[in-house]
Amino acid sequence: MTTPLLEEPVEIRDRRAGHSGATLAEHTDDVHRLLASLTDGPALMLGCSLGAVIGLHAAVRHPGQIHTLIAHEPVAPRLLPDDERTRHEHELAALQDLYLREGLGAALPEIARTLGIAPANTDIEPDLTPQPMNALRGANFDYFIRHDFTAVIHDTLDVAALKGVSTQIVPAAWRTTPRTVFDQQCATALAAQVDHEVQDLPGGHNGNTTHPRAYATRIREILNTAQ
């Protein structure tokens, strides 16, 4: 039986031509409009993974709108040297192709490995509500892998411009993320670019879901220091 993931050849062709999903510039415009509708003053922003990259774009494109951005392990190959950037862009494309061929069950463990996530790690805060892979989460993963991976691969972030932004950019990484993985390397590269040391946060790449109480406490500490 053909799986639903393989019943959309037009979608796959469009992705390979670079014509599917929102770009990071469009995501950034959404954030700009949202913040403008909520406040007239500079905002405090936490961006995790892809959200961190969107926050970096917003800092460049919309001066004065964000006072402080905590950029947690940004998935931003453009922060890295050219050879590393190319390697990780190819890595993301290969993960995307794996998903399109074999589905989420095959792709998710490889995505976790790439981001330094250990699914078997039981180091979590007590009394957390489980997050089952329901239809909504499945649909979110589908969009994220099909479209947002493409947005990252074709990113146009002006890395040099980050030095002169009015936003205070605070690079962050989770304490348990291996120093050799992609997202940790991006956080380290961002720290060098904006001359701000990487701030440690509890948990792994998804520490905000595995350690929400300790995570929230640490975020408050960072923001209180930044203001």
Side-chain angles (χ1 to χ4, degrees):
M1 179 181 294
T2 304
T3 67
L5 291 177
L6 299 180
E7 292 176 348
E8 300 177 7
V10 174
E11 179 72 16
I12 294 173
R13 284 197 299 271
D14 284 348
R15 194 273 301 169
R16 288 174 177 167
H19 298 304
S20 64
T23 65
L24 278 163
E26 290 167 330
H27 281 314
T28 302
D29 188 58
D30 287 341
V31 168
H32 164 63
R33 292 171 183 271
L34 175 62
L35 290 178
S37 71
L38 294 174
T39 178
D40 294 330
L44 305 175
M45 179 175 175
L46 166 68
C48 296
S49 196
L50 179 67
V53 189
I54 296 170
L56 295 175
H57 276 270
V60 172
R61 294 165 60 90
H62 302 288
Q65 190 167 38
I66 300 173
H67 177 281
T68 301
L69 166 67
I70 300 177
H72 146 248
E73 295 184 4
V75 182
R78 290 185 67 85
L79 289 167
L80 302 175
D82 288 346
D83 57 341
E84 287 293 303
R85 168 188 167 184
T86 299
R87 183 167 72 87
H88 289 301
E89 287 173 346
H90 288 168
E91 188 174 43
L92 291 173
L95 290 170
Q96 193 178 50
D97 284 334
L98 175 62
Y99 173 71
L100 294 171
R101 292 194 318 270
E102 301 182 30
L104 190 59
L108 202 54
E110 290 303 306
I111 294 172
R113 179 190 58 77
T114 301
L115 296 175
I117 300 169
N121 187 356
T122 57
D123 177 24
I124 61 174
E125 289 181 353
D127 304 321
L128 294 184
T129 301
Q131 298 184 51
M133 185 58 73
N134 56 24
L136 177 59
R137 289 192 74 205
N140 286 341
F141 269 113
D142 182 74
Y143 187 93
F144 176 61
I145 298 170
R146 287 176 182 268
H147 304 304
D148 287 331
F149 272 38
T150 300
V152 171
I153 293 167
H154 297 291
D155 191 11
T156 59
L157 178 66
D158 185 350
V159 174
L162 293 173
K163 285 184 177 293
V165 297
S166 59
T167 299
Q168 178 172 324
I169 298 174
V170 182
W174 308 118
R175 294 171 189 157
T176 60
T177 302
R179 296 299 188 257
T180 56
V181 301
F182 166 44
D183 40 315
Q184 177 70 248
Q185 292 173 346
C186 289
T188 301
L190 176 62
Q193 187 68 25
V194 300
D195 194 23
H196 195 300
E197 67 181 33
V198 178
Q199 298 297 303
D200 285 337
L201 293 169
H205 188 73
N206 292 330
N208 55 325
T209 60
T210 61
H211 297 73
R213 300 178 189 91
Y215 163 83
T217 297
R218 182 69 179 122
I219 292 298
R220 291 191 188 97
E221 291 173 354
I222 293 172
L223 290 176
N224 286 339
T225 301
Q227 294 187 64

Tab-separated table of all heavy atoms in Angstrom, residues 143-191:
chain	number	residue	atom	x	y	z
A	143	TYR	N	4.742	19.926	8.341
A	143	TYR	CA	5.027	21.254	7.777
A	143	TYR	C	6.472	21.656	8.057
A	143	TYR	O	7.173	22.175	7.174
A	143	TYR	CB	4.080	22.303	8.360
A	143	TYR	CG	4.234	23.638	7.668
A	143	TYR	CD1	3.417	23.980	6.589
A	143	TYR	CD2	5.229	24.543	8.049
A	143	TYR	CE1	3.586	25.188	5.922
A	143	TYR	CE2	5.408	25.744	7.390
A	143	TYR	CZ	4.579	26.063	6.327
A	143	TYR	OH	4.754	27.247	5.662
A	144	PHE	N	6.898	21.409	9.297
A	144	PHE	CA	8.246	21.803	9.696
A	144	PHE	C	9.294	21.147	8.805
A	144	PHE	O	10.214	21.825	8.311
A	144	PHE	CB	8.453	21.396	11.156
A	144	PHE	CG	9.836	21.650	11.685
A	144	PHE	CD1	10.359	22.931	11.734
A	144	PHE	CD2	10.611	20.601	12.168
A	144	PHE	CE1	11.634	23.168	12.236
A	144	PHE	CE2	11.884	20.826	12.672
A	144	PHE	CZ	12.388	22.112	12.702
A	145	ILE	N	9.177	19.858	8.566
A	145	ILE	CA	10.196	19.153	7.794
A	145	ILE	C	10.083	19.476	6.311
A	145	ILE	O	11.085	19.717	5.626
A	145	ILE	CB	10.100	17.636	8.031
A	145	ILE	CG1	10.351	17.322	9.515
A	145	ILE	CG2	11.127	16.892	7.174
A	145	ILE	CD1	10.056	15.883	9.898
A	146	ARG	N	8.870	19.497	5.775
A	146	ARG	CA	8.699	19.769	4.348
A	146	ARG	C	9.088	21.202	3.982
A	146	ARG	O	9.713	21.434	2.942
A	146	ARG	CB	7.246	19.538	3.935
A	146	ARG	CG	6.811	18.092	3.871
A	146	ARG	CD	5.326	18.017	3.535
A	146	ARG	NE	4.871	16.645	3.511
A	146	ARG	CZ	4.846	15.870	2.426
A	146	ARG	NH1	5.275	16.358	1.270
A	146	ARG	NH2	4.424	14.623	2.495
A	147	HIS	N	8.685	22.147	4.816
A	147	HIS	CA	8.793	23.549	4.425
A	147	HIS	C	9.873	24.326	5.169
A	147	HIS	O	10.660	25.055	4.559
A	147	HIS	CB	7.443	24.233	4.601
A	147	HIS	CG	6.335	23.576	3.846
A	147	HIS	ND1	6.389	23.376	2.479
A	147	HIS	CD2	5.151	23.038	4.258
A	147	HIS	CE1	5.275	22.764	2.078
A	147	HIS	NE2	4.524	22.544	3.131
A	148	ASP	N	9.907	24.198	6.490
A	148	ASP	CA	10.863	25.004	7.238
A	148	ASP	C	12.300	24.525	7.051
A	148	ASP	O	13.234	25.334	7.131
A	148	ASP	CB	10.487	25.037	8.718
A	148	ASP	CG	9.269	25.908	8.981
A	148	ASP	OD1	9.065	26.866	8.205
A	148	ASP	OD2	8.528	25.648	9.943
A	149	PHE	N	12.497	23.234	6.798
A	149	PHE	CA	13.839	22.790	6.456
A	149	PHE	C	14.320	23.506	5.190
A	149	PHE	O	15.467	23.932	5.091
A	149	PHE	CB	13.864	21.276	6.221
A	149	PHE	CG	14.088	20.453	7.461
A	149	PHE	CD1	13.529	20.820	8.670
A	149	PHE	CD2	14.856	19.304	7.416
A	149	PHE	CE1	13.719	20.067	9.818
A	149	PHE	CE2	15.065	18.535	8.557
A	149	PHE	CZ	14.498	18.921	9.762
A	150	THR	N	13.430	23.623	4.208
A	150	THR	CA	13.768	24.324	2.968
A	150	THR	C	14.102	25.792	3.251
A	150	THR	O	15.045	26.346	2.687
A	150	THR	CB	12.609	24.230	1.969
A	150	THR	OG1	12.346	22.864	1.674
A	150	THR	CG2	12.935	24.968	0.675
A	151	ALA	N	13.324	26.425	4.140
A	151	ALA	CA	13.587	27.823	4.487
A	151	ALA	C	14.971	27.984	5.099
A	151	ALA	O	15.693	28.946	4.802
A	151	ALA	CB	12.515	28.319	5.459
A	152	VAL	N	15.383	27.049	5.941
A	152	VAL	CA	16.708	27.110	6.562
A	152	VAL	C	17.803	26.910	5.514
A	152	VAL	O	18.816	27.626	5.504
A	152	VAL	CB	16.825	26.059	7.683
A	152	VAL	CG1	18.265	25.957	8.171
A	152	VAL	CG2	15.903	26.404	8.839
A	153	ILE	N	17.606	25.944	4.630
A	153	ILE	CA	18.602	25.659	3.599
A	153	ILE	C	18.819	26.866	2.690
A	153	ILE	O	19.935	27.154	2.261
A	153	ILE	CB	18.188	24.426	2.775
A	153	ILE	CG1	18.245	23.163	3.660
A	153	ILE	CG2	19.075	24.247	1.549
A	153	ILE	CD1	17.571	21.963	3.042
A	154	HIS	N	17.747	27.601	2.409
A	154	HIS	CA	17.827	28.764	1.511
A	154	HIS	C	17.833	30.088	2.285
A	154	HIS	O	17.456	31.130	1.742
A	154	HIS	CB	16.665	28.737	0.517
A	154	HIS	CG	16.685	27.554	-0.395
A	154	HIS	ND1	17.633	27.378	-1.368
A	154	HIS	CD2	15.870	26.467	-0.461
A	154	HIS	CE1	17.409	26.252	-2.009
A	154	HIS	NE2	16.360	25.667	-1.474
A	155	ASP	N	18.264	30.057	3.520
A	155	ASP	CA	18.274	31.250	4.364
A	155	ASP	C	19.147	32.354	3.751
A	155	ASP	O	20.129	32.070	3.056
A	155	ASP	CB	18.795	30.884	5.747
A	155	ASP	CG	18.594	31.986	6.773
A	155	ASP	OD1	17.877	32.954	6.484
A	155	ASP	OD2	19.163	31.864	7.879
A	156	THR	N	18.778	33.602	4.045
A	156	THR	CA	19.532	34.761	3.537
A	156	THR	C	19.980	35.666	4.683
A	156	THR	O	20.187	36.867	4.481
A	156	THR	CB	18.678	35.573	2.546
A	156	THR	OG1	17.483	36.015	3.207
A	156	THR	CG2	18.318	34.738	1.324
A	157	LEU	N	20.130	35.122	5.882
A	157	LEU	CA	20.506	35.929	7.041
A	157	LEU	C	21.803	36.699	6.775
A	157	LEU	O	22.806	36.125	6.356
A	157	LEU	CB	20.684	35.029	8.266
A	157	LEU	CG	21.132	35.719	9.558
A	157	LEU	CD1	20.060	36.671	10.058
A	157	LEU	CD2	21.468	34.677	10.629
A	158	ASP	N	21.769	38.013	7.041
A	158	ASP	CA	22.950	38.854	6.918
A	158	ASP	C	23.720	38.774	8.228
A	158	ASP	O	23.466	39.535	9.170
A	158	ASP	CB	22.526	40.295	6.613
A	158	ASP	CG	23.716	41.211	6.345
A	158	ASP	OD1	24.874	40.786	6.580
A	158	ASP	OD2	23.486	42.358	5.931
A	159	VAL	N	24.640	37.838	8.303
A	159	VAL	CA	25.362	37.576	9.550
A	159	VAL	C	26.179	38.789	9.980
A	159	VAL	O	26.215	39.153	11.163
A	159	VAL	CB	26.258	36.331	9.394
A	159	VAL	CG1	27.115	36.129	10.633
A	159	VAL	CG2	25.401	35.099	9.130
A	160	ALA	N	26.830	39.450	9.035
A	160	ALA	CA	27.669	40.605	9.377
A	160	ALA	C	26.852	41.719	10.024
A	160	ALA	O	27.355	42.451	10.887
A	160	ALA	CB	28.373	41.115	8.128
A	161	ALA	N	25.585	41.849	9.623
A	161	ALA	CA	24.739	42.920	10.154
A	161	ALA	C	24.382	42.718	11.619
A	161	ALA	O	23.958	43.675	12.295
A	161	ALA	CB	23.460	43.037	9.322
A	162	LEU	N	24.560	41.513	12.133
A	162	LEU	CA	24.210	41.243	13.530
A	162	LEU	C	25.069	42.045	14.498
A	162	LEU	O	24.647	42.338	15.614
A	162	LEU	CB	24.348	39.748	13.831
A	162	LEU	CG	23.364	38.818	13.111
A	162	LEU	CD1	23.736	37.360	13.370
A	162	LEU	CD2	21.938	39.087	13.568
A	163	LYS	N	26.282	42.422	14.068
A	163	LYS	CA	27.179	43.180	14.943
A	163	LYS	C	26.633	44.561	15.282
A	163	LYS	O	26.918	45.107	16.344
A	163	LYS	CB	28.552	43.327	14.284
A	163	LYS	CG	29.404	42.067	14.300
A	163	LYS	CD	30.769	42.346	13.720
A	163	LYS	CE	31.679	41.114	13.788
A	163	LYS	NZ	32.028	40.761	15.182
A	164	GLY	N	25.845	45.144	14.382
A	164	GLY	CA	25.417	46.520	14.582
A	164	GLY	C	23.970	46.700	14.984
A	164	GLY	O	23.485	47.835	15.000
A	165	VAL	N	23.266	45.631	15.330
A	165	VAL	CA	21.845	45.774	15.645
A	165	VAL	C	21.652	46.390	17.021
A	165	VAL	O	22.523	46.289	17.902
A	165	VAL	CB	21.117	44.407	15.572
A	165	VAL	CG1	21.177	43.852	14.162
A	165	VAL	CG2	21.687	43.414	16.578
A	166	SER	N	20.493	47.031	17.217
A	166	SER	CA	20.175	47.612	18.518
A	166	SER	C	19.728	46.558	19.519
A	166	SER	O	19.785	46.781	20.734
A	166	SER	CB	19.072	48.670	18.353
A	166	SER	OG	17.902	48.093	17.792
A	167	THR	N	19.270	45.429	19.029
A	167	THR	CA	18.833	44.331	19.893
A	167	THR	C	20.024	43.723	20.632
A	167	THR	O	21.076	43.485	20.035
A	167	THR	CB	18.153	43.233	19.067
A	167	THR	OG1	17.000	43.781	18.413
A	167	THR	CG2	17.727	42.052	19.932
A	168	GLN	N	19.855	43.485	21.928
A	168	GLN	CA	20.869	42.736	22.672
A	168	GLN	C	20.620	41.248	22.403
A	168	GLN	O	19.586	40.703	22.792
A	168	GLN	CB	20.778	43.016	24.165
A	168	GLN	CG	21.795	42.223	24.974
A	168	GLN	CD	21.836	42.629	26.436
A	168	GLN	OE1	21.668	43.803	26.761
A	168	GLN	NE2	22.058	41.679	27.313
A	169	ILE	N	21.570	40.608	21.732
A	169	ILE	CA	21.429	39.198	21.366
A	169	ILE	C	22.197	38.346	22.367
A	169	ILE	O	23.398	38.531	22.565
A	169	ILE	CB	21.938	38.947	19.939
A	169	ILE	CG1	21.101	39.749	18.931
A	169	ILE	CG2	21.896	37.458	19.606
A	169	ILE	CD1	21.622	39.685	17.514
A	170	VAL	N	21.478	37.425	23.002
A	170	VAL	CA	22.069	36.554	24.015
A	170	VAL	C	22.038	35.115	23.493
A	170	VAL	O	20.994	34.477	23.490
A	170	VAL	CB	21.294	36.633	25.348
A	170	VAL	CG1	21.956	35.743	26.398
A	170	VAL	CG2	21.198	38.078	25.834
A	171	PRO	N	23.181	34.601	23.028
A	171	PRO	CA	23.207	33.203	22.572
A	171	PRO	C	23.020	32.267	23.769
A	171	PRO	O	23.502	32.533	24.872
A	171	PRO	CB	24.603	33.044	21.971
A	171	PRO	CG	25.138	34.440	21.836
A	171	PRO	CD	24.480	35.252	22.895
A	172	ALA	N	22.304	31.165	23.539
A	172	ALA	CA	22.063	30.210	24.620
A	172	ALA	C	22.143	28.796	24.081
A	172	ALA	O	21.885	28.543	22.898
A	172	ALA	CB	20.704	30.457	25.271
A	173	ALA	N	22.513	27.871	24.961
A	173	ALA	CA	22.564	26.456	24.607
A	173	ALA	C	22.228	25.644	25.844
A	173	ALA	O	22.442	26.086	26.977
A	173	ALA	CB	23.948	26.072	24.082
A	174	TRP	N	21.696	24.464	25.586
A	174	TRP	CA	21.335	23.596	26.708
A	174	TRP	C	22.568	22.897	27.241
A	174	TRP	O	23.475	22.511	26.512
A	174	TRP	CB	20.272	22.580	26.264
A	174	TRP	CG	19.100	23.251	25.607
A	174	TRP	CD1	18.681	23.087	24.328
A	174	TRP	CD2	18.225	24.217	26.182
A	174	TRP	NE1	17.594	23.887	24.065
A	174	TRP	CE2	17.295	24.599	25.189
A	174	TRP	CE3	18.132	24.819	27.443
A	174	TRP	CZ2	16.273	25.517	25.414
A	174	TRP	CZ3	17.113	25.747	27.655
A	174	TRP	CH2	16.207	26.082	26.664
A	175	ARG	N	22.590	22.677	28.537
A	175	ARG	CA	23.778	22.139	29.195
A	175	ARG	C	24.145	20.746	28.702
A	175	ARG	O	25.312	20.374	28.707
A	175	ARG	CB	23.547	22.098	30.712
A	175	ARG	CG	23.425	23.479	31.334
A	175	ARG	CD	22.994	23.405	32.787
A	175	ARG	NE	22.692	24.749	33.292
A	175	ARG	CZ	21.899	24.980	34.322
A	175	ARG	NH1	21.331	23.979	34.953
A	175	ARG	NH2	21.668	26.213	34.717
A	176	THR	N	23.156	19.966	28.290
A	176	THR	CA	23.435	18.587	27.905
A	176	THR	C	23.649	18.404	26.406
A	176	THR	O	23.916	17.290	25.961
A	176	THR	CB	22.285	17.662	28.342
A	176	THR	OG1	21.069	18.088	27.711
A	176	THR	CG2	22.106	17.703	29.848
A	177	THR	N	23.541	19.460	25.621
A	177	THR	CA	23.757	19.321	24.183
A	177	THR	C	25.243	19.111	23.895
A	177	THR	O	26.071	19.914	24.319
A	177	THR	CB	23.281	20.578	23.429
A	177	THR	OG1	21.895	20.803	23.712
A	177	THR	CG2	23.462	20.408	21.928
A	178	PRO	N	25.604	18.043	23.187
A	178	PRO	CA	27.020	17.809	22.880
A	178	PRO	C	27.624	18.993	22.126
A	178	PRO	O	26.976	19.589	21.256
A	178	PRO	CB	26.984	16.545	22.008
A	178	PRO	CG	25.713	15.866	22.370
A	178	PRO	CD	24.738	16.964	22.684
A	179	ARG	N	28.847	19.329	22.455
A	179	ARG	CA	29.496	20.490	21.847
A	179	ARG	C	29.835	20.274	20.375
A	179	ARG	O	30.226	21.204	19.685
A	179	ARG	CB	30.783	20.831	22.623
A	179	ARG	CG	30.538	21.259	24.073
A	179	ARG	CD	29.682	22.516	24.139
A	179	ARG	NE	29.578	23.056	25.489
A	179	ARG	CZ	28.508	22.921	26.268
A	179	ARG	NH1	27.469	22.218	25.841
A	179	ARG	NH2	28.476	23.473	27.465
A	180	THR	N	29.681	19.045	19.898
A	180	THR	CA	30.051	18.739	18.516
A	180	THR	C	28.875	18.808	17.548
A	180	THR	O	29.089	18.704	16.339
A	180	THR	CB	30.659	17.325	18.441
A	180	THR	OG1	29.717	16.381	18.995
A	180	THR	CG2	31.951	17.254	19.220
A	181	VAL	N	27.653	18.997	18.040
A	181	VAL	CA	26.503	18.938	17.137
A	181	VAL	C	26.198	20.301	16.530
A	181	VAL	O	26.631	21.355	17.023
A	181	VAL	CB	25.250	18.363	17.831
A	181	VAL	CG1	25.511	16.958	18.353
A	181	VAL	CG2	24.775	19.272	18.952
A	182	PHE	N	25.430	20.272	15.479
A	182	PHE	CA	25.156	21.411	14.614
A	182	PHE	C	24.637	22.633	15.369
A	182	PHE	O	25.179	23.734	15.262
A	182	PHE	CB	24.162	20.929	13.557
A	182	PHE	CG	23.475	21.989	12.756
A	182	PHE	CD1	24.172	23.056	12.242
A	182	PHE	CD2	22.124	21.885	12.481
A	182	PHE	CE1	23.542	24.016	11.470
A	182	PHE	CE2	21.485	22.829	11.718
A	182	PHE	CZ	22.190	23.902	11.217
A	183	ASP	N	23.565	22.474	16.141
A	183	ASP	CA	22.932	23.618	16.788
A	183	ASP	C	23.823	24.233	17.871
A	183	ASP	O	23.812	25.443	18.074
A	183	ASP	CB	21.564	23.239	17.356
A	183	ASP	CG	21.556	21.862	18.009
A	183	ASP	OD1	22.109	20.932	17.419
A	183	ASP	OD2	20.980	21.709	19.095
A	184	GLN	N	24.597	23.407	18.556
A	184	GLN	CA	25.541	23.922	19.537
A	184	GLN	C	26.641	24.739	18.848
A	184	GLN	O	27.043	25.805	19.333
A	184	GLN	CB	26.160	22.762	20.308
A	184	GLN	CG	27.207	23.137	21.314
A	184	GLN	CD	26.660	23.868	22.518
A	184	GLN	OE1	26.938	25.048	22.687
A	184	GLN	NE2	25.894	23.182	23.355
A	185	GLN	N	27.113	24.264	17.706
A	185	GLN	CA	28.117	24.996	16.942
A	185	GLN	C	27.586	26.344	16.482
A	185	GLN	O	28.307	27.350	16.484
A	185	GLN	CB	28.571	24.169	15.752
A	185	GLN	CG	29.362	22.924	16.130
A	185	GLN	CD	29.650	22.030	14.942
A	185	GLN	OE1	29.055	22.186	13.880
A	185	GLN	NE2	30.560	21.089	15.114
A	186	CYS	N	26.319	26.383	16.093
A	186	CYS	CA	25.706	27.648	15.671
A	186	CYS	C	25.630	28.627	16.837
A	186	CYS	O	25.878	29.831	16.663
A	186	CYS	CB	24.317	27.396	15.095
A	186	CYS	SG	24.302	26.561	13.483
A	187	ALA	N	25.281	28.144	18.023
A	187	ALA	CA	25.225	29.021	19.194
A	187	ALA	C	26.607	29.592	19.509
A	187	ALA	O	26.747	30.780	19.822
A	187	ALA	CB	24.678	28.254	20.398
A	188	THR	N	27.624	28.755	19.394
A	188	THR	CA	28.991	29.210	19.658
A	188	THR	C	29.438	30.236	18.619
A	188	THR	O	30.064	31.256	18.953
A	188	THR	CB	29.950	28.008	19.657
A	188	THR	OG1	29.540	27.068	20.665
A	188	THR	CG2	31.374	28.445	19.921
A	189	ALA	N	29.099	29.985	17.347
A	189	ALA	CA	29.453	30.930	16.280
A	189	ALA	C	28.727	32.259	16.461
A	189	ALA	O	29.302	33.330	16.221
A	189	ALA	CB	29.120	30.321	14.919
A	190	LEU	N	27.481	32.203	16.882
A	190	LEU	CA	26.729	33.443	17.120
A	190	LEU	C	27.365	34.231	18.257
A	190	LEU	O	27.470	35.464	18.182
A	190	LEU	CB	25.273	33.105	17.456
A	190	LEU	CG	24.385	34.292	17.828
A	190	LEU	CD1	24.274	35.280	16.661
A	190	LEU	CD2	22.992	33.812	18.256
A	191	ALA	N	27.798	33.547	19.305
A	191	ALA	CA	28.434	34.224	20.441
A	191	ALA	C	29.666	35.006	19.991
A	191	ALA	O	29.888	36.143	20.421
A	191	ALA	CB	28.807	33.198	21.509
